[in-house]
Amino acid sequence: MPTDAETAAFETGTKFGALYHQFAGTPVSPESAPSLETAIEESIENQPYAREVHVDIHSDRLAADADDHGYVELTGEYMEVTVVVDYEGVEATAEMSMVDGYPLMELVAVDDE
Amino acid sequence: MPTDAETAAFETGTKFGALYHQFAGTPVSPESAPSLETAIEESIENQPYAREVHVDIHSDRLAADADDHGYVELTGEYMEVTVVVDYEGVEATAEMSMVDGYPLMELVAVDDE
Amino acid sequence: MPTDAETAAFETGTKFGALYHQFAGTPVSPESAPSLETAIEESIENQPYAREVHVDIHSDRLAADADDHGYVELTGEYMEVTVVVDYEGVEATAEMSMVDGYPLMELVAVDDE
Amino acid sequence: MPTDAETAAFETGTKFGALYHQFAGTPVSPESAPSLETAIEESIENQPYAREVHVDIHSDRLAADADDHGYVELTGEYMEVTVVVDYEGVEATAEMSMVDGYPLMELVAVDDE
């Protein structure tokens, strides 16, 4: 049987994969970025064991890439995300940010005290 | 060559298909429904020729179906949508609502005066 | 009331928006491109009035961009799509391809003979 | 720092969340289910550390629900999924199936021999 710490890590992963693949492709502009940030956070926080979701969409990068059409389709290069899960008292934290030009999802801490 | 009225109708359809298939499956609760409504409207309004997008998520239906887990995955049965496009002066309007238990997307008016 | 030609154009648009926003973001490699092409075609052909859907994923562009990780996330720059709808005897055709570095969805013909 | 077992569990979760939220909402019929199964498996197997993905879409449940329109939108109630990840020699396995009428994603084994 998996440990609670392993299950906490798994649950963090499911939220991250859900968040990314649900919202990747969404049309987003500097003006609409704030409402999308809030909607992503509140939607994923509905899921079981999700304690906190923080999404930061980089409006400056959007603005730089969106000049002709006014918007881009959301991908990992335009956002930083932190997800915190609490499973049976074990807190697991994962983050996504750009590493070497690619968005990297990474489990950064599992704390079962 | 298609007429401007036909192209306006086509553009209305692309917004509707985008809206539905981008956001279907999003976890949503009565509490998070307002932020999701706003994000959907503002994201699709970014697209070319989109003049107005209105989304109404039925919190009462959500509440009725979400009792065990507190949320549902968004599908057509939980929302009504209106999309208005303006293409070269032709205004086209489409709506989605439940008909016979199924969500139906329908072009309701094309007005080229 | 919209004409049958306008409704055919609308229905073509809904298929295109659905196709793009359902499958954008899917991990795809040169090896997995053929199965994804088939699945996209067959899934959208299920929808009402869809007569034919053709998807061509550019494996050479995938290969060029995927070198580090072996895959990319599907976006419009990696595919060409044709959708044909038949609504009440009116045939409408739309295409997506790259124009000036952006994927452009375009209604190309409405034929009601 | 997370252990390799915890990271393996996290990676299994990201695949599961990705799979579900990328493909939920896809139009699917008994006829198109086989091509969708293959495309889902091959697409998620592209992701880092994914060793095996198995998707079984229940054509009988599709057929029962799809009578009027010939298809349904894919949700968890129509499929069983197994994902196996290998991270630094640790194998983690997760499954999705219906429990009490809801699709449940569950980490079932982490094996670091």
Side-chain angles (χ1 to χ4, degrees):
Chain A
M1 289 287 297
T3 66
D4 285 352
E6 290 160 355
T7 299
F10 172 74
E11 292 291 339
T12 311
T14 62
K15 273 72 191 163
F16 236 109
L19 186 158
Y20 192 85
H21 286 270
Q22 182 64 56
F23 294 102
T26 301
V28 61
S29 61
E31 293 72 26
S32 72
S35 68
L36 186 57
E37 289 173 341
T38 303
I40 295 175
E41 291 171 353
E42 293 191 0
S43 91
I44 301 299
E45 286 176 351
N46 283 317
Q47 294 190 313
Y49 316 117
R51 205 170 87 180
E52 191 183 349
V53 179
H54 184 72
V55 177
D56 187 12
I57 298 178
H58 298 296
S59 290
D60 53 338
R61 291 186 206 161
L62 290 186
D65 287 357
D67 49 359
D68 280 359
H69 291 68
Y71 72 99
V72 299
E73 296 170 4
L74 186 67
T75 64
E77 71 186 293
Y78 298 111
M79 58 179 169
E80 286 182 16
V81 179
T82 304
V83 173
V84 183
V85 154
D86 184 329
Y87 179 82
E88 301 288 335
V90 180
E91 183 178 290
T93 303
E95 296 176 352
M96 183 177 71
S97 56
M98 295 299 285
V99 176
D100 296 336
Y102 283 87
L104 181 70
M105 298 181 191
E106 199 172 13
L107 180 69
V108 294
V110 180
D111 182 0
D112 61 351
E113 61 185 307
Chain B
M1 289 287 297
T3 66
D4 285 352
E6 290 160 356
T7 299
F10 171 74
E11 292 292 340
T12 311
T14 62
K15 273 72 190 161
F16 236 109
L19 186 158
Y20 192 85
H21 286 270
Q22 183 63 58
F23 294 102
T26 301
V28 60
S29 61
E31 292 73 27
S32 71
S35 68
L36 186 57
E37 289 173 340
T38 302
I40 295 175
E41 291 171 352
E42 293 192 0
S43 91
I44 301 299
E45 286 175 350
N46 284 315
Q47 294 190 313
Y49 316 116
R51 205 172 86 180
E52 190 184 349
V53 178
H54 184 73
V55 177
D56 187 12
I57 297 178
H58 298 297
S59 291
D60 54 337
R61 290 186 205 162
L62 290 187
D65 287 358
D67 49 359
D68 279 359
H69 291 68
Y71 72 100
V72 300
E73 296 170 5
L74 186 67
T75 65
E77 70 186 294
Y78 298 111
M79 57 179 170
E80 286 182 16
V81 179
T82 304
V83 173
V84 182
V85 153
D86 184 328
Y87 179 82
E88 301 288 336
V90 180
E91 183 178 289
T93 303
E95 296 176 352
M96 184 177 71
S97 56
M98 294 300 285
V99 176
D100 296 337
Y102 283 87
L104 182 71
M105 298 179 190
E106 198 172 13
L107 181 68
V108 294
V110 180
D111 181 0
D112 60 352
E113 63 183 307
Chain C
M1 288 286 297
T3 65
D4 285 352
E6 290 160 357
T7 298
F10 171 74
E11 292 291 339
T12 311
T14 63
K15 273 73 191 161
F16 236 109
L19 185 158
Y20 192 83
H21 286 270
Q22 182 64 56
F23 293 102
T26 301
V28 60
S29 60
E31 293 72 28
S32 72
S35 68
L36 186 58
E37 289 173 340
T38 303
I40 294 175
E41 292 171 352
E42 293 192 1
S43 92
I44 301 299
E45 286 175 350
N46 284 316
Q47 294 190 312
Y49 315 116
R51 206 171 86 180
E52 190 183 349
V53 179
H54 184 72
V55 177
D56 187 12
I57 297 178
H58 298 295
S59 290
D60 53 338
R61 291 186 206 162
L62 290 186
D65 287 358
D67 47 1
D68 279 0
H69 292 68
Y71 73 99
V72 299
E73 296 170 5
L74 186 67
T75 65
E77 69 186 294
Y78 297 113
M79 59 178 170
E80 286 180 16
V81 178
T82 304
V83 172
V84 183
V85 153
D86 184 329
Y87 179 81
E88 300 289 335
V90 180
E91 184 179 289
T93 303
E95 295 176 352
M96 184 177 71
S97 57
M98 294 300 284
V99 176
D100 296 336
Y102 282 87
L104 182 71
M105 299 180 190
E106 199 172 14
L107 181 67
V108 294
V110 179
D111 182 359
D112 60 351
E113 61 185 307
Chain D
M1 290 286 296
T3 65
D4 285 353
E6 290 160 356
T7 299
F10 172 74
E11 292 291 339
T12 311
T14 63
K15 273 73 192 161
F16 237 108
L19 186 158
Y20 192 84
H21 286 269
Q22 182 63 58
F23 294 102
T26 301
V28 60
S29 61
E31 292 73 27
S32 72
S35 68
L36 186 57
E37 289 172 339
T38 302
I40 295 174
E41 291 171 352
E42 292 191 1
S43 92
I44 301 299
E45 286 175 351
N46 284 316
Q47 294 190 313
Y49 315 116
R51 205 170 88 181
E52 190 184 350
V53 179
H54 184 72
V55 177
D56 186 13
I57 297 178
H58 298 295
S59 290
D60 53 338
R61 291 186 205 162
L62 291 186
D65 287 357
D67 49 359
D68 279 359
H69 292 68
Y71 72 99
V72 299
E73 295 169 6
L74 186 68
T75 64
E77 70 186 295
Y78 297 112
M79 58 179 169
E80 286 180 16
V81 178
T82 303
V83 172
V84 183
V85 153
D86 184 330
Y87 179 81
E88 300 289 334
V90 180
E91 184 178 290
T93 303
E95 295 176 352
M96 184 177 71
S97 57
M98 294 300 284
V99 175
D100 296 336
Y102 282 87
L104 181 71
M105 297 181 191
E106 198 172 14
L107 182 68
V108 294
V110 179
D111 182 0
D112 61 351
E113 62 181 309

